[in-house]
Amino acid sequence: MRITLPGTWALLGTLLAGAAVAEEHEHAVIRTLFLPEEPEAAPQRIYVKGQVVTVLRFEQDLAPLRARLVGGEGRFEPVGVVGRKVVLEPRRDLAPEEGFSLLVTLSDAREVPFLLRPPGRREHGSADQQLNVYKDRDSYEAMASALLDSEKENKTLREENERLHKEEVSEDHALAALLTTGAVAQTPFGVADHFSGTDGDTAMDGTVYRGTGKAAVVFKVKNLTARRPWSMSSVRLVGRSDTRERPLAVRSSSAVIAPGTSGVIGLVVDGSAFVDGGTLTSLFLELYRHDGLRQAVVELSPSLLGK
């Protein structure tokens, strides 16, 4: 069994060498925005991510003349105005507490402010890929764009409700919840190994469990920062020889871990996830935090499936 935590990356050698890396996959997000009728209205938010391009697409008769950042110099690539589009690209991720103003001057001489913010937990941490900006809510294009937004939102809600229903009746999610609350005695798991580490911002102490036909991992996370909250962005379970993601059950004691406090994340893996082509294989459990960086990697051996 091999475990990688902050400051101990060498344990996985060339297989998982190097610093924490960002998640490879991005979820494309296209949204509709309507220009506020009141000039004093609060600026609308645009969610941006490092090295991900975000495009604001305006109506033809509102084609922007200028676009400038306020306070974001050096943090973004030069803002581009191409036809009726404004193009943004942060050079790196914004910190959770950061926000920058984008001022766009339109062809009707109106200056419209937008607030650039990191996505955080929104949409699995995804940046806005394209924003369709309209002045007239009743125009055909505006209504068609808003309808597409509603259809996507409804689909997302249906999928989320279906996922939550499956979790309610899932044995593995129930076991993960028990592990998260510390009720290990009520589960079929026994301790197989312990691990710990720190990277200056986060301290992590964890336990790997073996069980009959299942394995489990519990991460105890302490946020060592004074101001920045910590949260889990995602968890991936992949094979030794491929990146196909396997299913697993995840439960956490809280969605966000405030500065100076601790939280617990419990994960349960069914034995079927270890089967690859009819044979058992080792798996790698990767935990990503709020800024997309990989916080820890734990190798799970098929030997965990025995008592």
Side-chain angles (χ1 to χ4, degrees), residues 3-9 19-21 195 197-204 219 221-223 230-234 265 285-298:
I3 299 168
T4 299
L5 290 171
T8 60
W9 292 102
V21 297
F195 56 88
T198 181
D199 65 355
D201 291 338
T202 310
M204 184 169 289
F219 295 99
V221 183
K222 183 171 183 179
N223 185 354
W230 189 100
S231 61
M232 177 181 63
S233 171
S234 64
I265 302 170
L285 179 65
E286 303 178 349
L287 176 67
Y288 292 85
R289 68 186 194 183
H290 52 274
D291 54 8
L293 296 183
R294 189 169 55 195
Q295 187 76 69
V297 179
V298 180

Side-chain angles (χ1 to χ4, degrees), residues 139-199:
S139 69
Y140 174 80
E141 284 193 11
M143 289 191 293
S145 183
L147 179 60
L148 287 176
D149 281 0
S150 298
E151 290 176 349
K152 287 188 294 184
E153 184 177 355
N154 289 336
K155 180 181 178 182
T156 300
L157 290 173
R158 288 195 301 268
E159 292 174 348
E160 180 68 8
N161 288 335
E162 183 179 353
R163 182 187 65 83
L164 292 173
H165 175 70
K166 289 180 179 178
E167 290 183 3
E168 287 178 358
V169 297
S170 165
E171 176 189 355
D172 287 353
H173 281 89
L175 292 173
L178 289 171
L179 291 172
T180 301
T181 61
V184 181
Q186 299 180 38
T187 73
F189 295 112
V191 175
D193 200 2
H194 289 285
F195 56 88
S196 61
T198 181
D199 65 355

Side-chain angles (χ1 to χ4, degrees), residues 245-258:
E245 293 193 34
R246 277 76 165 174
L248 74 163
V250 184
R251 280 287 186 266
S252 58
S253 60
S254 60
V256 177
I257 301 175

Side-chain angles (χ1 to χ4, degrees), residues 32 34 57-60 84 132-134 136-148:
T32 302
F34 295 104
R57 179 178 175 272
F58 292 82
E59 295 173 284
Q60 189 64 48
R84 55 176 175 158
N132 298 320
V133 186
Y134 297 98
D136 183 4
R137 294 173 178 266
D138 297 325
S139 69
Y140 174 80
E141 284 193 11
M143 289 191 293
S145 183
L147 179 60
L148 287 176

